Amino acid sequence: MSFRTATAIDYVEDVAPGSGALPPRAWYAASDAKSFSLNGSWRLRVSPTADAEDDSFAAEGYDATGWAEVTVPGHWVLQGEGAFGLPIYTNHLYPFPVDPPHVPTENPTGDHIRVFDLPEDWPSDGGAVIRFDGVESCARVWLNGTDIGEFKGSRLPHEFAVGHLLKPSGNVLAVRVHQWSAGSYLEDQDQWWLPGIFRDVTLLHRPAGSALDFFVHASYDHVTGEGTLRVDSDVDGRVSVPALDIDVETGETVTVRVEPWTAETPKLYDGVLVTAGERVPLRIGFRTVELVDGLIKVNGKAILFKGVNRHEWHPEKGRALDLETMREDVLLMKRHNLNAVRTSHYPPHPAFLDLCDEYGLWVIDECDLETHGFTEQAWRDNPVDDDRWTPALLDRAERMVERDKNHPSVVIWSLGNEAGTGRGLTAMAEWIHGRDSSRLVHYEGDWNCRDTDVYSRMYANHAEVEQIGQELDGGTHKRRELPFILCEYGHAMGNGPGGIADYQELFEKYERLQGGFIWEWIDHGVTHPELGFAYGGDFGEELHDGNFVCDGLIFPDRQPSPGLLEFKKVIEPVSIEGTDGAVRVTNKQDFADLSAFAFEWSYQVDGESVESGSLPVPALAPGESADVKLPEPPADHGDGETQWTVRALLAADTAWGPKGHEVAWGQVPVTARTLPSVAATNGPVAGDGVITLGPASFDARTGALRTIGGIEVSGLRLDVWRATTDNDDGAEWLTGVRTSDQWRKYGLHRMRHRLAAVELDDDALTVRSRVAPAAWEFGLAAVYRWTSDGSRLKLTVSVGPEGEWPVALPRLGVRFGLTRADAVTWYGGGPGEGYPDTKAASRVGRWESTVDGLQTPYLRPQENGARADVRWAELGGLRVEGDPEFFLTARRWTTEQLDAATHLTDLTPGETVWVNLDHALHGIGTGSCGPGVLPQYQLHAEPVEFSFVFSEIPDVS
């Protein structure tokens, strides 16, 4: 009989980073040394506890044929249709008791086995290492029955020397992975908890004299135009860069004229490091990052981050991303004008940084560290202020820096995220500063900037950001001398983010404000057979944070959301604004001139282009502006509304976009539209239960509109409610008050309509009503005045508040139903949705869609799909013209059904299309995590009048 002792699994709760792994070193994808991928099909057994099984599975000859098969890289909870457990989502709460360093006995543990033969051409000399690029959260490794070590640090590489253990065939690689470990306390990032071997596993041959660690120092002097190169290497060798005629020994410094690397002009030079046993390709970018005069400067110029926080995510594979998915992300970012990425909240797969080097993105590389859950106990026992944990923190910092130090795209190191403050963070900062003086150090939680080179904040509201820009924010002397970035802002959860154009104005106005990073890149929806995409709580988690994991600029299938299109417009690299007979073109780039762009103009009449051509724009230097004369407008355009549209396009194919790709645009109004008018020449006629007025019929008792010509219309009345957005449902950052809670408290979702009078005059039908919520004395007096000229019908709505209104209105307009409607044509803002504080990307033109095409598929259904500044719209056989412009929404379900849905699959199209014509909408804001709606975008109950003209569209079939 044998007894298992506790010491067999002590490493799981050991605060030390691990044992047996080789020192961290620079990562490179390939060299002339052999490598062999161990990715693919592995055998898996999942046990409920860390000690449920002994380690006999690691021995040679163990029979695992009855085990399941899973794919590595991968997460076992995303394979096997739930047979191996399920994902867990929490934002910051630990899904286990906070009892550091202890973790639950219920600790899902995956035993993995991969049996492999060495390739026939595998060299017989030299050594070998096995590299694990990412395993969550703790792993113990055996090769051919020999225990070679264990490690923590899920998003960091670990290498083990195994050359002495390899044999030509039948090698058994066994890896025991624990979901929970002491390391889990350092990995409380806002994401799904997903155990498994989720990055590559690679066997690397290490010939005698092969490269170990090396550091490429490649700086740039913007005054002389020269680059200085030195490659420090643990193993002596030579470095050559043929394009620069460089051939020097490692450790030797050489200075030559070069083209610098920037995110706008990512010039890379191909080189090679040659040691006695290996040739390692190098991609060298010359650039210098400095803190000068209180600003982050690259190559002598202050830069403006137009960035995004990026979690690694795939809806089916979780954090197991392949190269093409990573490339797709980078290309989407470049094509939407982003220039920077913060790798929230861990180092990404290293291949992603290769892509940032190649295509050009500034990178804040963030350490795999977050202890956010300790906020629940006022940071008591926080590991970053406990000396016992400092070796683990330093190990994570070292593994990040050593792995990624040769990437020119990485300009700032970040210590981690939302981990409070403490001595461990100071130790990390000191080590990084000592190891790499060529980059800056960031950590948002260090508001006094004791350890950091940048003053960084999350979700500071516009007013505070402006104060910081004006240097009126106070703080320590050191902080007041540092540049400021918003490492997170513009929370892109659901419909939004709102107000980002207002942030960008501040960034461009104040030199100290060097931009920010939208939270975040992608919705972390998990592909689900019944729900479409699942979010927190959909897997039966006892503790979860719902759809807070769905807060990205792209949907899980990587389709851009309206938020990404809005951000693209807000941060466009060229500004195009109207002047008298000309456009003022401004180059908003930091380094490149405008020679890469071609400019085109078009002249629109009532939204349709009647003429177009090219516009000669000089190759303006960064920051320069020029007034460029427009052609003479076409003479014959009648009395329609006219405008110029000027676009900046790629003049030639680039690495990231094709010729003709649009990077910026602007519109210049010329003549205003003629507002619709209807002479009241037809009066209402009372009949048997019906009132007729021109082409329309009304219910004689209620005054409700029934038909316009042959078009049935139902339920037309004043509407103030919208299905609440994630931002409406968020607690406003300063007050902690949820807008939607206030709306529901005061009954705006259940307004009652009291008919006061139906009045027939010689030239008008007037319906008077009061719209108010139960239980409260305030309300709205609504007067509907109908007139007609015989063929067209005009509705004038007059609204007056009664009593003291305690809250803003969600919307203000009319809603009605049409029994047949599919195609929609409109003249106004488009082609996508727009709200008062999210319509920078809404371009005035003539657009077409289906009703279904108007919907935005936010993972949690909510208010969506409004088209802004609409002059007229046609749908369901009706033409509607507005005075003034209006917001248009049309959908196959009611607002109430939309409001009640939790997933898109809850929405069942009905026979009626419900149309909203809104005079005004409350803004969107970023209240889901950040400031609410700015005052200028709030909708308050005030006296207002607006009108619509309805007419039946002739059937030309």
Side-chain angles (χ1 to χ4, degrees):
M1 180 179 294
S2 63
F3 296 92
R4 183 181 316 282
T5 63
T7 56
I9 58 166
D10 277 354
Y11 65 91
V12 174
E13 294 184 341
D14 189 347
V15 299
S19 63
L22 296 169
R25 65 185 180 116
W27 191 95
Y28 49 93
S31 72
D32 67 344
K34 293 289 184 182
S35 66
F36 179 52
S37 173
L38 296 175
N39 295 346
S41 180
W42 289 53
R43 293 288 182 172
L44 172 71
R45 174 185 65 190
V46 177
S47 304
T49 65
D51 61 352
E53 302 286 349
D54 60 26
D55 57 13
S56 61
F57 81 100
E60 296 178 87
Y62 184 88
D63 183 6
T65 54
W67 291 16
E69 290 188 59
V70 293
T71 299
V72 170
H75 305 278
W76 72 68
V77 296
L78 294 182
Q79 303 184 59
E81 298 182 346
F84 310 128
L86 295 167
I88 300 170
Y89 167 62
T90 60
N91 168 27
H92 77 277
L93 297 174
Y94 290 105
F96 49 79
V98 180
D99 182 23
H102 305 298
V103 294
T105 301
E106 296 81 7
N107 187 358
T109 295
D111 291 334
H112 298 70
I113 292 178
R114 172 77 152 86
V115 180
F116 65 94
D117 300 334
L118 292 177
E120 291 185 1
D121 60 350
W122 191 264
S124 59
D125 63 326
V129 301
I130 283 181
R131 183 177 68 208
F132 295 88
D133 282 318
V135 182
E136 183 176 328
S137 75
C138 171
R140 193 169 200 94
V141 186
W142 295 261
L143 181 63
N144 293 330
T146 299
D147 183 349
I148 60 175
E150 48 85 14
F151 63 91
K152 307 177 189 75
S154 298
R155 268 68 72 173
L156 294 161
H158 295 82
E159 292 183 332
F160 297 88
V162 297
H164 60 296
L165 299 175
L166 289 171
K167 54 186 184 179
S169 62
N171 293 283
V172 179
L173 177 60
V175 185
R176 172 163 284 170
V177 180
H178 307 283
Q179 174 154 22
W180 311 123
S181 70
S184 301
Y185 284 99
L186 304 180
E187 296 173 3
D188 190 26
Q189 295 100 343
D190 176 10
Q191 60 181 346
W192 294 95
W193 298 88
L194 298 173
I197 305 171
F198 68 94
R199 286 187 185 159
D200 306 289
V201 182
T202 311
L203 181 67
L204 302 167
H205 179 232
R206 309 309 298 142
S210 60
L212 295 176
D213 190 28
F214 59 92
F215 197 162
V216 177
H217 304 274
S219 61
Y220 178 72
D221 187 327
H222 66 279
V223 176
T224 65
E226 293 177 322
T228 298
L229 176 67
R230 186 185 80 250
V231 178
D232 295 332
S233 175
D234 288 353
V235 176
D236 291 341
R238 295 193 69 82
V239 175
S240 62
V241 186
L244 298 175
D245 293 327
I246 291 175
D247 187 1
V248 296
E249 293 183 357
T250 54
E252 184 177 337
T253 299
V254 60
T255 299
V256 295
R257 290 195 66 82
V258 298
E259 295 178 45
W261 187 97
T262 74
E264 295 166 8
T265 56
K267 175 64 178 179
L268 293 172
Y269 291 91
D270 290 324
V272 63
L273 166 64
V274 181
T275 65
E278 189 174 15
R279 295 174 60 88
V280 181
L282 306 176
R283 302 207 79 190
I284 302 169
F286 291 87
R287 57 105 187 93
T288 295
V289 183
E290 297 176 294
L291 186 62
V292 180
D293 300 326
L295 298 174
I296 304 166
K297 292 189 176 182
V298 178
N299 303 336
K301 291 188 175 182
I303 60 175
L304 185 62
F305 292 117
K306 302 171 182 178
V308 69
N309 288 275
R310 174 186 176 269
H311 268 296
E312 295 180 304
W313 188 252
H314 187 281
E316 297 171 0
K317 301 175 183 177
R319 287 187 284 280
L321 266 60
D322 57 45
L323 180 62
E324 287 313 305
T325 300
M326 291 184 266
R327 189 186 307 276
E328 185 179 355
D329 279 349
V330 171
L331 292 177
L332 273 172
M333 290 175 186
K334 293 291 291 187
R335 290 169 184 168
H336 289 86
N337 295 332
L338 279 78
N339 71 1
V341 175
R342 175 178 173 230
T343 68
S344 55
H345 297 293
Y346 43 83
H349 191 293
F352 180 77
L353 298 179
D354 287 339
L355 296 169
C356 293
D357 294 342
E358 178 182 354
Y359 293 103
L361 288 167
W362 309 116
V363 174
I364 296 181
D365 198 359
E366 191 148 274
C367 194
D368 190 9
L369 172 62
E370 181 166 338
T371 64
H372 198 174
F374 283 89
T375 57
E376 299 302 312
Q377 53 196 62
W379 297 106
R380 187 174 60 258
D381 298 326
N382 185 10
V384 305
D385 202 29
D386 183 334
D387 292 339
R388 295 175 300 167
W389 293 80
T390 299
L393 304 184
L394 287 171
D395 179 75
R396 289 169 185 250
E398 292 170 16
R399 289 188 182 279
M400 172 183 69
V401 171
E402 301 297 7
R403 191 195 78 166
D404 297 341
K405 59 183 177 286
N406 295 326
H407 290 282
S409 58
V410 177
V411 294
I412 296 176
W413 301 115
S414 179
L415 303 180
N417 182 68
E418 292 175 318
T421 57
R423 293 161 289 176
L425 290 164
T426 299
M428 294 170 70
E430 289 176 348
W431 185 90
I432 294 174
H433 277 122
R435 177 58 172 150
D436 181 18
S437 61
S438 69
R439 294 176 174 93
L440 307 183
V441 172
H442 164 274
Y443 176 64
E444 185 272 340
D446 184 14
W447 282 19
N448 290 327
C449 302
R450 178 182 65 179
D451 300 320
T452 55
D453 304 308
V454 181
Y455 178 29
S456 175
R457 290 283 300 281
M458 296 178 180
Y459 308 109
N461 64 49
H462 299 75
E464 184 181 2
V465 170
E466 181 155 34
Q467 271 197 323
I468 294 170
Q470 295 170 333
E471 301 182 2
L472 300 175
D473 57 304
T476 62
H477 176 73
K478 180 183 178 184
R479 189 179 91 180
R480 294 197 304 271
E481 294 185 335
L482 293 180
F484 176 81
I485 64 170
L486 276 171
C487 69
E488 293 180 21
Y489 82 111
H491 195 251
M493 185 176 178
N495 188 336
I500 56 174
D502 306 85
Y503 274 118
Q504 193 66 24
E505 287 180 12
L506 296 174
F507 296 158
E508 295 177 5
K509 181 177 181 180
Y510 298 104
E511 187 178 52
R512 186 189 184 192
L513 307 180
Q514 293 199 250
F517 296 79
I518 295 290
W519 184 268
E520 64 159 312
W521 177 239
I522 187 169
D523 284 346
H524 302 204
V526 178
T527 300
H528 192 281
E530 286 87 36
L531 301 175
F533 291 114
Y535 50 74
D538 289 334
F539 296 103
E541 307 101 300
E542 64 179 9
L543 187 70
H544 66 85
D545 285 292
N547 69 312
F548 203 70
V549 76
C550 300
D551 46 13
L553 291 172
I554 60 175
F555 296 117
D557 60 2
R558 284 181 158 72
Q559 292 301 305
S561 77
L564 180 58
L565 302 178
E566 176 80 357
F567 195 43
K568 176 187 178 182
K569 173 61 179 171
V570 166
I571 60 173
E572 58 191 6
V574 183
S575 169
I576 301 169
E577 298 176 326
T579 63
D580 186 19
V583 287
R584 172 159 292 177
V585 178
T586 302
N587 182 358
K588 291 189 172 184
Q589 298 178 108
D590 295 322
F591 295 94
D593 64 23
L594 295 188
S595 59
F597 303 133
F599 291 80
E600 293 183 355
W601 60 266
S602 62
Y603 190 78
Q604 287 98 37
V605 177
D606 287 337
E608 291 192 300
S609 179
V610 296
E611 260 188 59
S612 62
S614 60
L615 186 70
V617 175
L620 301 170
E624 285 189 343
S625 298
D627 291 336
V628 182
K629 185 174 176 55
L630 290 164
E632 289 296 319
D636 298 323
H637 56 74
D639 59 355
E641 179 181 11
T642 60
Q643 66 182 7
W644 299 96
T645 297
V646 176
R647 304 190 301 148
L649 315 172
L650 288 180
D653 290 345
T654 70
W656 53 265
K659 178 181 179 180
H661 168 76
E662 182 181 279
V663 295
W665 59 271
Q667 291 189 308
V668 183
V670 180
T671 59
R673 73 180 179 120
T674 301
L675 294 175
S677 62
V678 173
T681 56
N682 272 49
V685 178
D688 185 12
V690 175
I691 300 170
T692 58
L693 176 60
S697 67
F698 301 81
D699 184 281
R701 183 179 63 85
T702 64
L705 178 66
R706 288 181 174 179
T707 62
I708 300 176
I711 308 301
E712 293 184 11
V713 182
S714 61
L716 190 149
R717 62 185 187 179
L718 192 73
D719 192 16
V720 301
W721 181 245
R722 73 183 187 200
T724 57
T725 67
D726 288 318
N727 286 304
D728 296 334
D729 293 338
E732 202 280 327
W733 199 242
L734 290 179
T735 66
V737 175
R738 296 181 190 274
T739 301
S740 63
D741 285 352
Q742 293 295 101
W743 286 345
R744 294 183 196 276
K745 171 185 175 181
Y746 291 110
L748 301 194
H749 62 307
R750 49 176 175 77
M751 300 291 275
R752 299 291 184 261
H753 296 252
R754 176 173 62 81
L755 178 63
V758 177
E759 302 170 353
L760 280 69
D761 299 319
D762 290 343
D763 61 353
L765 167 64
T766 302
V767 180
R768 302 183 186 276
S769 70
R770 186 174 191 270
V771 183
W776 302 97
E777 62 180 357
F778 59 86
L780 298 171
V783 179
Y784 309 88
R785 187 172 189 271
W786 299 93
T787 56
S788 177
D789 61 3
S791 61
R792 294 181 299 160
L793 181 71
K794 182 177 182 179
L795 167 64
T796 300
V797 182
S798 302
V799 180
E802 296 180 343
E804 300 256 345
W805 271 79
V807 288
L809 291 169
R811 72 185 333 140
L812 185 64
V814 296
R815 176 172 71 164
F816 59 90
L818 298 175
T819 55
R820 55 181 181 90
D822 185 32
V824 184
T825 303
W826 74 98
Y827 170 36
E833 73 181 25
Y835 290 79
D837 54 349
T838 67
K839 63 175 186 172
S842 185
R843 189 181 326 200
V844 175
R846 195 172 295 196
W847 310 102
E848 294 182 354
S849 176
T850 62
V851 168
D852 292 340
L854 292 178
Q855 314 311 307
T856 303
Y858 296 117
L859 266 64
R860 185 190 73 79
Q862 56 197 273
E863 166 62 34
N864 74 89
R867 269 47 181 186
D869 303 315
V870 175
R871 280 76 164 153
W872 58 256
E874 295 178 347
L875 73 165
L878 279 184
R879 179 182 175 93
V880 184
E881 301 171 77
D883 178 12
E885 293 80 20
F886 58 95
F887 291 89
L888 169 70
T889 310
R891 51 178 69 102
R892 299 186 188 278
W893 35 78
T894 66
T895 297
E896 291 74 21
Q897 290 168 329
L898 182 62
D899 199 22
T902 61
H903 294 81
L904 291 171
T905 50
D906 294 335
L907 295 171
T908 302
E911 295 298 321
T912 300
V913 170
W914 292 97
V915 181
N916 277 89
L917 311 177
D918 287 308
H919 173 69
L921 290 168
H922 190 66
I924 297 298
T926 58
S928 57
C929 188
V933 177
L934 288 169
Q936 60 267 37
Y937 305 121
Q938 295 175 10
L939 176 57
H940 296 287
E942 297 173 341
V944 69
E945 185 173 280
F946 51 92
S947 65
F948 302 102
V949 175
F950 299 88
S951 56
E952 186 178 11
I953 303 169
D955 186 353
V956 296
S957 62

